[in-house]
Amino acid sequence: MELQIEAVVGNVEKVTDFVNEQLENMNCSMRAITQVDIALDELFSNICRYAYGDRIGHAIIRVCKVPNMRSVQISLEDEGLPFNPLKVKEPDTTLGIHEREIGGLGIFLVRKIMDDVAYRYENGKNILTITKSF
C-alpha cells in the first residue's frame, strides 16, 4: 500500500493512521505498532522540517509485509536534499542531557527499536526503509 502526502508536520497523524491500518490488517502486535509509530513520528517529522528547506514537498509512504515472515517494511521517500540519517554520529548517551550535542537522538532511537533501518539515494530521491518484526 502507498500514501503520497504533503510533507508538513500537521500530516504526521494521517501518516500514522495510514500505516496503523495496514499493520492492524497484518495482525501486528500492539508493541510493534507502538514502536513503528514512534519511528514514523521521528522520520516523517524530519522530512517535513529538513528535506525541502523553505518549500513544501511531498513524501511517499509505502507499507508491505515481508513475504513468508512476520515482518513489515515501511519506506519513506522524498525528493528533498540528499541526506543519509544513518551517517549521523550516534549521541554519547553516557553524558548528561545538558552535556550532549543537540540532535541525533531521534534516529538513534529509531535504530534501537527497529529490526533494520536502511537508506539509499536513488533517482533524486531519499528512500529510508525500516523493518519491524511483529
Side-chain angles (χ1 to χ4, degrees):
M1 297 295 292
E2 176 179 300
L3 172 70
Q4 183 170 344
I5 194 162
E6 203 170 66
V8 294
V9 174
N11 283 337
V12 169
E13 187 175 343
K14 289 179 184 174
V15 169
T16 303
D17 288 346
F18 166 76
V19 172
N20 284 347
E21 182 179 343
Q22 309 315 308
L23 298 178
E24 289 167 7
N25 289 340
M26 293 177 203
N27 296 314
C28 288
S29 70
M30 186 51 70
R31 176 184 167 115
I33 291 172
T34 300
Q35 290 176 334
V36 167
D37 286 353
I38 292 167
L40 280 176
D41 185 272
E42 174 65 23
L43 299 173
F44 184 72
S45 294
N46 282 348
I47 292 171
C48 298
R49 290 186 179 107
Y50 306 116
Y52 293 102
D54 292 337
R55 62 188 177 92
I56 295 175
H58 286 86
I60 298 174
I61 315 302
R62 291 188 178 89
V63 181
C64 68
K65 186 177 182 309
V66 179
N68 303 317
M69 298 182 71
R70 290 191 44 83
S71 295
V72 62
Q73 284 189 329
I74 301 163
S75 296
L76 295 94
E77 181 179 303
D78 68 76
E79 295 179 347
L81 299 171
F83 178 70
N84 182 349
L86 303 181
K87 290 192 175 185
V88 173
K89 182 180 158 191
E90 286 194 5
D92 184 347
T93 57
T94 64
L95 296 175
I97 193 160
H98 298 294
E99 299 170 313
R100 290 186 204 153
E101 293 182 30
I102 295 174
L105 202 53
I107 192 65
F108 174 77
L109 177 64
V110 169
R111 292 174 83 168
K112 293 294 180 196
I113 62 176
M114 292 295 107
D115 297 315
D116 187 54
V117 182
Y119 170 83
R120 69 185 192 276
Y121 187 77
E122 190 175 275
N123 299 321
K125 297 176 184 177
N126 294 294
I127 304 168
L128 188 70
T129 302
I130 56 176
T131 304
K132 185 66 183 171
S133 297
F134 56 84

